[in-house]
Amino acid sequence: HKAIEQYKRITDLYYNEFGIDSPERFQKLYDEITSHQSGYEADLISIQKDLYEKNAEKIAYYCDYSVFQHFYKIQARTCERNGMSIFLMLLTIRSRDKQNNDRELIHQAMDKMQSVIASALRSSDIFSRYSVNQFIAMLPTACYEDSLAVGERVLKRFEASKPRLKVSVSFAVKYLEPQMFESGEVKDSQ
């Protein structure tokens, strides 16, 4: 578990300091750390115990962007199959002082925004840090109007909880395009 904690710490550093995802070699290292020993055979009960979320809180699910991408792909396939509507929400934080884009100010605001998003969204919603100043969220079973209302709720809660942080926050909402398949190849929806 210490190796996974170190991986998460380094991933957060890349987001906070450089505004980018950690290099692909870190993802490969993570995969190696979390892979199970070959030759070990388990039953469904032990696997389910391993998958069970310990100390789960009733807040939105936060994950690394690489994990978010996997969730997105699964949801896009699900939308194609059952017509479910899912919306993406992008939250962006900017310094109000256009001349001085203070990294520490943005870092503080992003930390605060992460806790606001976690408590403002449903426990079945998924969100991730996208860049040094942005979060991306996936809102399953929402309609466009509800997604806008969620964005407004996040903004209001953030405004109420960010004393003296000179930042502005905006959000955008977009329908998740279903994954289309055509004769074994992914069809471009644009």
Side-chain angles (χ1 to χ4, degrees), residues 49-57 61:
K49 282 181 184 177
D50 183 51
L51 292 171
Y52 185 77
E53 187 177 359
K54 289 118 183 109
N55 304 318
E57 297 179 64
Y61 186 80

Side-chain angles (χ1 to χ4, degrees), residues 1-17:
H1 289 287
K2 286 193 182 261
I4 292 172
E5 288 173 20
Q6 286 294 340
Y7 168 80
K8 289 180 180 177
R9 190 180 66 76
I10 290 170
T11 301
D12 287 344
L13 271 172
Y14 270 91
Y15 279 133
N16 294 333
E17 297 299 319

Side-chain angles (χ1 to χ4, degrees), residues 59-65 68 91 113-119 121 125-129 135-138:
I59 58 175
Y61 186 80
Y62 177 79
C63 60
D64 291 335
Y65 184 67
F68 185 90
L91 292 137
M113 180 58 84
Q114 182 172 337
S115 65
V116 167
I117 293 170
S119 65
L121 301 183
D125 295 335
I126 302 158
F127 75 106
S128 177
R129 190 159 182 169
F135 283 101
I136 182 87
M138 195 178 317

